[in-house]
Amino acid sequence: LIEKRQAAISHTVTKGLDPTVEMKDSGVEWLGEVPTHWEVVRNKAVFHEFVERSTDGQGELLTVSHLTGVTRRSEKNVNMIMAETLDGYKVCAAGDLVINTMWAWMGALGITPLDGLVSPSYNTYRPRDSNVLMPDYYDYLCRMPHHVVAIKANSTGVWESRLRLYPDQFLSMRMPLPSLAEQRQIVDYIAAMRDKYDALRAWKQKSVTLTEARSAYR
């Protein structure tokens, strides 16, 4: 179910919702064909690097994972030693893109759902125009498996564990860009689909648990 859900999300954000729409070659290997009326643009046309540093260390500390995207650090079981002060940490606002530079090749990036502070070693980007990009659409796009492979290919480093995705490399990558209205339709559709899959997964898990309990009782 998890794999089916991911496949459905990947298809929707790169192909749209109309199965009869005419397609064209995007010219991007990981993307393949996209609807003819969609644009394919470089990330720098949509994002710009945004660097603002905290002067008082006040704010919610956020972290970025390849599993959960951007979340509160307080919600994570992290064994790393906390810094004595968050002065100098990067400031981000809801809707910004945050990339864990050291783990981007694994998919550690995403749109932050809340304001906060992130590690100075992360890269932060802000959409240039809210009338062009819906952050939730990009959050689904940027963490899909084929896109993560493209990030890895654009990262630099001697060994895999040392790969880094720097701003110039990220901003030169290309992405599909439907109209804002179509992005909103896609986001709404995925949200409903995820709710359905999550409910079905919970029901399946409950069935497994009950079956295991009966087996143990026998």
Side-chain angles (χ1 to χ4, degrees):
L1 287 173
I2 293 173
E3 291 173 352
K4 284 184 177 180
R5 185 180 74 170
Q6 181 57 59
I9 291 174
S10 297
H11 180 85
T12 303
V13 296
T14 58
K15 311 301 178 188
L17 296 171
D18 183 359
T20 66
V21 71
E22 185 178 349
M23 307 293 283
K24 67 179 179 182
D25 183 5
S26 68
V28 181
E29 184 176 355
W30 70 267
L31 187 54
E33 291 189 333
V34 297
T36 303
H37 63 283
W38 286 20
E39 292 186 76
V40 178
V41 301
R42 294 198 182 278
N43 288 345
K44 65 181 179 181
V46 180
F47 291 101
H48 66 95
E49 187 180 13
F50 178 82
V51 180
E52 178 184 346
R53 296 185 183 274
S54 173
T55 57
D56 58 12
Q58 298 300 307
E60 181 83 43
L61 181 59
L62 309 176
T63 188
V64 188
S65 159
H66 68 289
L67 297 175
T68 56
V70 184
T71 55
R72 292 181 174 89
R73 192 180 190 277
S74 59
E75 297 174 351
K76 295 289 187 180
N77 182 19
V78 181
N79 295 321
M80 293 177 63
I81 298 174
M82 283 280 291
E84 292 184 2
T85 175
L86 299 183
D87 290 359
Y89 272 54
K90 290 183 178 178
V91 176
C92 61
D96 287 350
L97 172 65
V98 183
I99 299 180
N100 183 331
T101 313
M102 295 184 293
W103 299 104
W105 63 275
M106 287 187 64
L109 72 163
I111 299 293
T112 175
L114 67 163
D115 300 346
L117 304 177
V118 297
S119 167
S121 64
Y122 289 178
N123 289 112
T124 50
Y125 303 87
R126 182 158 291 176
R128 293 183 179 276
D129 189 342
S130 60
N131 293 314
V132 171
L133 179 70
M134 187 175 184
D136 286 347
Y137 168 78
Y138 189 78
D139 194 50
Y140 287 127
L141 174 72
C142 70
R143 296 172 60 223
M144 56 179 282
H146 287 167
H147 187 267
V148 173
V149 171
I151 286 176
K152 186 174 181 179
N154 281 274
S155 298
T156 57
V158 179
W159 298 289
E160 186 175 82
S161 61
R162 297 287 185 178
L163 291 176
R164 303 289 185 267
L165 180 70
Y166 295 108
D168 286 348
Q169 296 158 318
F170 168 73
L171 293 172
S172 69
M173 292 177 65
R174 300 173 71 191
M175 59 171 282
L177 190 65
S179 68
L180 191 66
E182 194 166 356
Q183 291 176 46
R184 186 172 292 109
Q185 292 173 352
I186 289 171
V187 167
D188 290 344
Y189 174 82
I190 291 176
M193 178 184 65
R194 288 183 64 178
D195 288 344
K196 181 183 72 173
Y197 271 97
D198 288 346
L200 184 56
R201 183 185 173 202
W203 179 79
K204 287 287 188 181
Q205 185 60 56
K206 183 178 180 180
S207 298
V208 170
T209 301
L210 288 173
T211 300
E212 290 175 343
R214 291 193 187 104
S215 297
Y217 178 76
R218 290 173 185 170

